[in-house]
């Protein structure tokens, strides 16, 4: 009796929601899982066909054969009257190259807005991808191999661009981003520069720049509205710019051990800080401070002037002393700096009267 009563009161409230709400919820899960909702009830049958988002990752399948068969069926059955706003597609070299070409043709024919591709085979991306006028977000990752990036882009609606493992070059001036007139966020991850060894990042709209690199080259910044700069890797890239007064947030995570192989890393890192002299917030990892401390007689040289600096955050990666707890934040104007190099933090804020030090144990 009790079990029967619970069954009667156990209403399917989720299925009572409007189609638009159910479709929105399904947009956050892999397409394979969204299709499986057809088995819940007749109410769910065919709803996935109206998804504005497709998430197709080969890792979600038991075999590549199944994945190769699944993707074309999805593209052919999906409701063609529904715009495709977001597509994520990842695959390995075991997937037939023509499959990716078909996926890209499909996405571009539906005026895709957000596109994320991860692949590891030798496949030239179609030129039409870099001419798409509806793309607002583009995330491209080539795993294990480096692919030559186009000389220029014509993505006038693009606001966010992330590139991983590409190679820039094959021309006298490497300046691929200047025509992206709405670009706000740029991420360059493990990309190489060939030929001129100079990467020019010229964009008046750019606000956020993130670079991860272990290679030596020169970066020329022409970004008058750049607000934040983040770097991880080895600081061996010479940065030059005419005006970086707009930068207010800087985050640098230097690889201490890799930097030991480059005697100039400390000096280059110091020159970066001088370029960003107008910043208000500076985040440095303990490994970054060790790279700075490699500069001979650093503490006896003239300290940089960060007159607008309000916050210096030090993230300590080392094993914690017994009196400190993970995740706890310590704030003071003269904080105990161990296990970071002695005196380096105080040296950095010597000419920053309003700076507050925050030490975070990671």
């Amino acid at each position: 009796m009790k079990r029967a009563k619970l069954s009667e009161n156990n209403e399917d409230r989720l299925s009572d929601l409007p189609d638009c709400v159910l479709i929105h919820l399904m947009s956050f899960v892999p397409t394979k899982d969204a299709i499986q909702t057809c088995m819940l009830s007749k109410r769910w049958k065919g709803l996935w066909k109206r998804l504005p988002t497709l998430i197709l990752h080969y890792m979600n399948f038991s075999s590549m054969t199944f994945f190769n068969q699944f993707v074309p069926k999805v593209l052919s059955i999906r409701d063609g009257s529904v715009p495709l706003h977001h597509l994520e597609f990842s695959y390995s070299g075991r997937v037939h190259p023509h499959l990716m070409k078909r996926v890209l043709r499909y996405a571009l024919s539906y005026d895709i807005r957000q596109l994320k591709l991860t692949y590891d085979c030798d496949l030239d991306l179609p030129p039409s991808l870099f001419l798409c006028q509806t793309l607002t977000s583009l995330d491209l990752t080539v795993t294990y191999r480096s692919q030559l990036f186009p000389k220029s882009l014509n993505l006038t609606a693009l606001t966010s661009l992330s590139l991983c493992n590409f190679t820039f070059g094959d021309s006298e001036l490497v300046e691929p981003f200047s025509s992206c007139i709405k670009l706000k966020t740029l991420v360059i991850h493990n990309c190489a520069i060939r030929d001129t060894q100079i990467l020019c990042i010229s964009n008046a709209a750019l606000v956020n720049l993130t670079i991860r690199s272990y290679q030596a080259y020169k970066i020329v910044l022409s970004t008058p509205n750049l607000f934040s700069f983040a770097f991880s890797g080895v600081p061996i890239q010479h940065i030059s710019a005419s005006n970086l007064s707009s930068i207010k947030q800087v985050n640098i995570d230097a690889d201490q051990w890799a930097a030991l192989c480059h005697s100039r890393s400390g000096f280059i890192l110091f020159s970066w800080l001088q370029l960003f002299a107008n910043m208000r917030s500076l985040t440095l990892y303990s490994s970054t401070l060790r790279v700075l401390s490699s500069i001979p007689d650093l503490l006896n040289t003239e300290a940089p002037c960060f007159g607008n600096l309000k916050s210096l955050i030090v993230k300590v990666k080392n094993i914690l002393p017994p009196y400190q707890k993970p995740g706890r934040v310590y704030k003071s104007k003269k904080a105990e700096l161990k296990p970071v190099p002695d005196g380096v933090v105080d040296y950095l804020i010597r000419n920053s009267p309003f700076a507050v030090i925050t030490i975070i144990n990671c």
Side-chain angles (χ1 to χ4, degrees):
M1 289 287 293
K2 186 176 181 181
R3 182 174 300 175
K5 187 175 181 180
L6 286 173
S7 179
E8 292 174 0
N9 293 332
N10 190 16
E11 300 177 5
D12 185 4
R13 296 182 179 179
L14 185 61
S15 295
D16 290 336
L17 294 173
D19 286 1
C20 60
V21 176
L22 296 180
I23 292 172
H24 179 72
L25 293 175
M26 287 192 291
S27 298
F28 294 95
V29 301
T31 303
K32 177 185 175 183
D33 297 334
I35 293 177
Q36 290 176 342
T37 60
C38 290
M39 298 183 294
L40 296 176
S41 68
K42 292 182 179 180
R43 171 73 176 83
W44 293 79
K45 189 175 182 179
L47 278 179
W48 73 268
K49 296 179 183 180
R50 289 185 278 160
L51 282 173
T53 297
L54 292 179
I55 302 176
L56 304 167
H57 297 312
Y58 74 93
M59 299 84 70
N60 297 329
F61 293 80
S62 57
S63 70
M64 296 306 301
T65 301
F66 185 23
F67 182 71
N68 286 331
Q69 296 171 348
F70 177 84
V71 174
K73 289 182 179 179
V74 169
L75 300 184
S76 60
I77 297 175
R78 181 181 174 273
D79 189 342
S81 66
V82 179
L84 182 61
H85 293 161
H86 181 95
L87 171 65
E88 293 184 21
F89 184 74
S90 67
Y91 74 105
S92 71
R94 291 173 292 172
V95 176
H96 299 299
H98 75 268
L99 180 59
M100 180 174 178
K101 293 180 180 179
R102 178 174 177 178
V103 170
L104 286 177
R105 284 198 303 267
Y106 184 90
L108 295 174
S109 67
Y110 282 90
D111 296 333
I112 187 71
R113 296 180 186 176
Q114 299 174 335
L115 180 61
K116 183 176 182 179
L117 296 178
T118 303
Y119 60 101
D120 67 355
C121 69
D122 291 325
L123 176 67
D124 292 331
L125 297 173
S128 56
L129 173 61
F130 304 105
L131 299 173
C132 181
Q133 301 302 298
T134 59
L135 267 177
T136 60
S137 176
L138 180 60
D139 188 327
L140 299 176
T141 298
V142 184
T143 58
Y144 307 120
R145 304 175 188 178
S146 186
Q147 183 172 339
L148 188 63
F149 195 72
K151 297 178 182 179
S152 62
L153 305 176
N154 187 19
L155 303 172
T156 55
L158 197 69
T159 60
S160 176
L161 176 62
S162 179
L163 303 172
C164 181
N165 292 334
F166 281 87
T167 297
F168 301 106
D170 201 25
S171 64
E172 293 183 359
L173 179 62
V174 183
E175 189 181 2
F177 313 113
S178 57
S179 60
C180 300
I181 57 176
K182 294 183 179 180
L183 188 64
K184 299 295 183 182
T185 300
L186 175 62
V187 178
I188 301 176
H189 185 99
N190 286 341
C191 291
I193 314 295
R194 76 181 193 187
D195 299 331
T196 61
Q197 290 291 303
I198 300 175
L199 174 62
C200 182
I201 301 178
S202 177
N203 194 291
L206 192 65
V207 175
N208 307 302
L209 175 61
T210 300
I211 296 176
R212 178 176 177 83
S213 179
Y214 285 80
Q215 297 187 357
Y217 51 85
K218 183 177 180 180
I219 302 173
V220 178
L221 296 178
S222 180
T223 52
N225 292 303
L226 191 64
F227 181 83
S228 70
F229 173 84
F231 176 88
S232 61
V234 184
I236 50 177
Q237 303 78 23
H238 291 274
I239 300 178
S240 64
S242 57
N243 183 10
L244 289 177
S245 60
S246 60
I247 288 188
K248 299 298 184 290
Q249 297 178 356
V250 176
N251 186 314
I252 302 176
D253 181 8
D255 188 324
Q256 173 193 352
W257 306 114
L260 291 176
C261 301
H262 303 275
S263 59
R264 299 292 300 174
S265 287
F267 294 99
I268 292 175
L269 179 56
F270 190 82
S271 69
W272 291 4
L273 296 178
Q274 291 178 315
L275 275 177
F276 308 139
N278 202 46
M279 60 190 168
R280 296 179 181 176
S281 174
L282 174 62
T283 299
L284 301 176
Y285 285 76
S286 54
S287 56
T288 307
L289 294 175
R290 288 197 174 89
V291 174
L292 280 173
S293 67
S294 67
I295 299 176
D297 203 26
L298 172 68
L299 303 184
N300 292 323
T301 62
E302 183 178 355
C305 183
F306 306 135
N308 295 323
L309 189 66
K310 301 295 189 298
S311 171
L312 173 58
I313 300 174
V314 178
K315 294 188 176 182
V316 182
K317 295 181 179 180
N318 305 62
I319 298 175
L320 302 179
Y323 58 86
Q324 293 182 349
K325 298 180 180 180
R328 184 176 176 184
V329 178
Y330 302 84
K331 289 188 176 181
S332 67
K333 288 195 174 181
K334 290 187 177 181
E336 185 179 5
L337 303 183
K338 293 183 179 180
V340 302
D342 289 335
V344 176
V345 173
D346 283 336
Y347 167 79
L348 290 176
I349 63 167
R350 189 178 295 172
N351 297 319
S352 307
F354 306 108
V356 175
I357 303 171
T358 302
I359 297 181
I360 301 176
N361 290 308
C362 300

